[in-house]
Amino acid sequence: MNLQSFRGVRLAPQQRLPVRRAVSHRCVVRAAMAGGAAGEDPYQVLGIPRNADYNAIQRAYRKKVVEAVGNDAEKLRIEAAHSSIMMSALTSRLQGNTSVDKNVLYADRARFFPWRPRLFFAEKNVIIYAGVAQAVLLAWALLSPATAGTQPVVWSAIAGAVANIFKQNRINPPPARGMEMSAEERSQGGKNIMRGAFLAFLATFGGCFAFYTAPDAIASALGRVLPLWFYEGQAMLLAIGSCLVNWAVTAAYR
């Protein structure tokens, strides 16, 4: 019988295998920590400039983690670089440096309403394509109000959802098929779809509320009657609000 004792009785091969794996894992961890401790520039590890904002840091970090799947040492190196940048920003906050991106400065604080829209300007081509799509729908509503009805509002929401989903995939790219990935990484594509649809719904609701529902409610509360054209042009006003706000959200929020 092979029993382990403090005197060092020899273990059977099948009993030594877990120890070897544990030692190997510790070596990988130590190697990664040693690489980070050797003065390696964390910005070079992530491939970003020193003036990169929070969103650029997060995009580069996620991309590098996906590329490092299966390489424990490289993944730990990336994690160390990301942590170093965040800790450096937090240290700057404690020293009173207000020039650091506020998303990095307060990364250690819990966020209220994490699904709320946040300011983030889209790429130029996304802004242009989204603007063209919403302009076409708005022209349809204005030029053919009798036949268009509320259809431009529905299609404006759909166009907004598509544009926002595309934008979300650019910000948080889902991992490629066939790669090893965690459960959280596998769900990234679904999260992007839900986020894009949520932003489009919020924009459509906000536009319709601001351009028709709110003025009508305020007039009723004050005992006033709005001009006849306001009520006759309900579909057009809803389309104007939906198209404008959907484009604005796609262009400036994530």
Side-chain angles (χ1 to χ4, degrees):
M1 180 181 298
N2 292 313
L3 297 175
Q4 184 177 5
S5 70
F6 293 104
R7 296 293 182 180
V9 177
R10 182 174 297 177
L11 297 174
Q14 63 270 24
Q15 292 175 296
R16 293 198 300 269
L17 284 175
V19 177
R20 288 178 178 174
R21 284 196 294 268
V23 171
S24 176
H25 180 70
R26 285 196 297 269
C27 289
V28 169
V29 174
R30 288 171 182 170
M33 293 176 65
E40 192 172 23
D41 187 352
Y43 290 92
Q44 290 184 358
V45 174
L46 296 185
I48 54 176
R50 288 189 169 274
N51 60 350
D53 62 11
Y54 175 78
N55 294 306
I57 294 170
Q58 294 301 97
R59 281 200 304 273
Y61 166 65
R62 293 189 186 100
K63 182 180 178 182
K64 291 288 185 180
V65 168
V66 170
E67 292 174 352
V69 170
N71 187 337
D72 290 339
E74 182 63 17
K75 191 170 184 179
L76 288 168
R77 178 170 168 260
I78 294 165
E79 294 280 359
H82 181 260
S83 298
S84 175
I85 293 172
M86 289 300 178
M87 289 304 298
S88 176
L90 294 177
T91 301
S92 296
R93 185 185 77 191
L94 295 176
Q95 294 174 349
N97 184 356
T98 58
S99 65
V100 182
D101 188 294
K102 65 179 181 179
N103 289 301
V104 180
L105 277 174
Y106 302 106
D108 60 332
R109 297 187 180 180
R111 290 181 177 274
F112 294 101
F113 309 112
W115 272 71
R116 73 189 187 283
R118 292 187 288 275
L119 189 66
F120 182 89
F121 290 100
E123 298 170 356
K124 185 177 179 180
N125 61 332
V126 175
I127 295 175
I128 293 173
Y129 292 147
V132 170
Q134 297 295 344
V136 169
L137 294 170
L138 184 56
W140 179 25
L142 296 176
L143 297 176
S144 304
T147 57
T150 57
Q151 291 184 76
V153 176
V154 176
W155 284 105
S156 173
I158 294 173
V162 171
N164 279 300
I165 291 169
F166 177 82
K167 183 178 178 181
Q168 293 299 317
N169 285 333
R170 299 283 291 184
I171 298 171
N172 301 308
R177 292 182 179 180
M179 295 180 60
E180 290 185 37
M181 61 190 82
S182 65
E184 182 178 356
E185 290 169 338
R186 283 197 299 271
S187 66
Q188 187 60 56
K191 289 180 180 178
N192 290 345
I193 292 173
M194 292 178 63
R195 179 70 176 176
F198 168 74
L199 289 173
F201 168 79
L202 199 63
T204 304
F205 175 82
C208 293
F209 181 82
F211 279 74
Y212 187 83
T213 307
D216 185 39
I218 293 172
S220 298
L222 297 176
R224 302 293 181 86
V225 177
L226 294 173
L228 183 61
W229 64 262
F230 178 84
Y231 300 101
E232 290 181 344
Q234 177 183 8
M236 286 191 296
L237 290 172
L238 293 175
I240 292 171
S242 178
C243 291
L244 289 179
V245 179
N246 263 298
W247 176 76
V249 169
T250 300
Y253 288 91
R254 65 178 179 90

